Amino acid sequence: MLLALALLAAASPATPDAEIRAAAERIAPAVVAVRRDLHAHPELSNREERTGHLVAERLRGLGLEVRYPVAKTGVVGVLRGGRPGRVVALRADIDALPIEETSDLSFRSQVKGVMHACGHDAHTAILLGTVEVLVSLKDRLPGTVVFLFQPAEEGAPEGEEGGAPLLVKEGALDDPKVEAVFGLHVGSWVSVGQAGWTDGPIFASSDTFTIEVEGKTVHGAQPHMGLDPIPIAAEIVQALQLVVSRQIDGRQPRVLTIGRIQGGTRFNIIADRVTMDGTLRTHDAAVRSEIKTRMARTVRGVAEAHGTTATLRFLDEGNPPTVNDAALARNVGVPALQRVFGAGAVRVEPQMVAEDFPSYGQKAPYFYFLLGTRNDAKGIASVNHTSTFDVDEDALPLGVRAMAALAWDSLAGKP
Ligand SMILES: [Zn+2]
Ligand SMILES: [Zn+2]
């Protein structure tokens, strides 16, 4: 008890929630306008020229130290508060997807075949709003906030680096040295007015793979004279499902999907090879690596049993699972969300979708949460990555308040 009182006395003054709220509500129309402008002008991963430029200009206008471009088209802004303290980072991703928007919103995409279908327009607008709110309270801000506007979360084009790993590689968290990172994702997982959190895994790992099965083409009536890769591929598909269902602890979430399979040219010709593409999702680094090892053994073994070869190739490093730091969640993340969302701050089940956000975990502990933007009454319910995805903009000022509160709480030395 005495220790707790001493800690309270030593702590920095409380986060100015009422002022943050008032500022967030005052700028809400501007945040909505930015979101709509970005929504109308979406840009693909590593091609976010207009978006990056717009962000850099705004940060300069607000008096931040700006590094631009970083990680191709990204922007890092540094806000040094009027009081000494720790360093925390807030992150927004800025890229869009190759999807043709089919909604009839007045601010729908003006770029054919490109759409902000994952809500990164909202993330960018929220973070710009957060900058403005914290700048207005700068004199009392007890430390430094680094704002990360990150390109290419959806994946850099083949052969290019990008996203969170590149931001980390280019030192975005090194000077000033970041001690905690916060991020959010909008979506229909939870409703507007709610924030979904966990104190452990929240998003899955994701690994993209290709399998190639070698065959020998011959007349379809004489398979014994060649080598038919199609039934072997079918056997590999089944065997891989047995890896995830029979060889891994049933309490561990995991999904293995073969999403594409291609082979052959005609009904009466034995195919010369089959290629298959798929994705692997888990919530645990050890499970992820265990499945990858067993997949390689299974692919090799099934092919060998039929007298051929098959290769398994993982396309890139993939994304590790997004796993919230339990202490940061307990001490900073959840209390801040509870102040902003009240009973709307809800514990959620981890999702099987993935993020490149965990790359920041190489540098500092992190807390990542879901900002609810679903509103069935307004007909806003489509899931991320669909052509009718939208967000309830009433969530934007809540996102601003949450990010500002998380940064301030963390700076104020909450352990
Ligand atoms: Zn996405
Ligand atoms: Zn996303």
Side-chain angles (χ1 to χ4, degrees), residues 287-301:
V287 172
R288 178 190 184 202
S289 125
E290 181 72 26
I291 295 178
K292 287 169 87 167
T293 305
R294 287 170 183 265
M295 284 174 72
R297 186 183 72 182
T298 300
V299 168
R300 199 172 50 238

Side-chain angles (χ1 to χ4, degrees), residues 11 86 103 204 262 285 292 296 307 334 379:
R86 288 154 40 89
S103 70
Q262 196 167 40
K292 287 169 87 167
V334 178

Side-chain angles (χ1 to χ4, degrees), residues 349-363:
E349 291 296 322
Q351 308 293 316
M352 296 315 289
V353 297
E355 248 282 5
D356 70 0
F357 189 82
S359 289
Y360 300 119
Q362 295 166 25
K363 296 287 179 179

Side-chain angles (χ1 to χ4, degrees), residues 93 118-120 123 153-154 185-186 203 354-355 368 384-385:
D93 39 10
C118 203
H120 301 181
H123 299 171
E153 191 284 320
E154 300 289 358
H185 209 299
V186 297
F203 277 1
E355 248 282 5
Y368 183 90
N384 301 53
H385 289 215

Side-chain angles (χ1 to χ4, degrees), residues 217-370:
T217 185
V218 70
H219 195 292
Q222 299 164 311
H224 65 287
M225 295 177 70
L227 204 159
D228 188 354
I230 285 182
I232 301 168
E235 205 171 312
I236 288 172
V237 172
Q238 302 289 355
L240 291 176
Q241 293 309 323
L242 293 185
V243 169
V244 291
S245 70
R246 304 287 87 182
Q247 298 181 21
I248 302 297
D249 187 332
R251 293 166 296 184
Q252 294 287 351
R254 68 277 183 198
V255 171
L256 189 154
T257 293
I258 304 282
R260 193 181 77 96
I261 177 162
Q262 196 167 40
T265 53
R266 199 167 189 277
F267 72 94
N268 61 354
I269 301 175
I270 297 295
D272 63 347
R273 63 166 46 80
V274 171
T275 58
M276 302 185 277
D277 300 330
T279 183
L280 170 67
R281 308 292 171 112
T282 73
H283 282 148
D284 181 88
V287 172
R288 178 190 184 202
S289 125
E290 181 72 26
I291 295 178
K292 287 169 87 167
T293 305
R294 287 170 183 265
M295 284 174 72
R297 186 183 72 182
T298 300
V299 168
R300 199 172 50 238
V302 171
E304 195 183 314
H306 296 289
T308 187
T309 56
T311 52
L312 166 69
R313 190 166 60 90
F314 286 91
L315 291 199
D316 52 32
E317 295 292 294
N319 290 316
T322 305
V323 183
N324 282 328
D325 183 85
L328 190 64
R330 195 168 49 242
N331 296 324
V332 176
V334 178
L337 294 183
Q338 284 172 338
R339 294 203 314 279
V340 174
F341 295 87
V346 290
R347 186 193 278 270
V348 291
E349 291 296 322
Q351 308 293 316
M352 296 315 289
V353 297
E355 248 282 5
D356 70 0
F357 189 82
S359 289
Y360 300 119
Q362 295 166 25
K363 296 287 179 179
Y366 62 80
F367 177 75
Y368 183 90
F369 70 99
L370 307 179

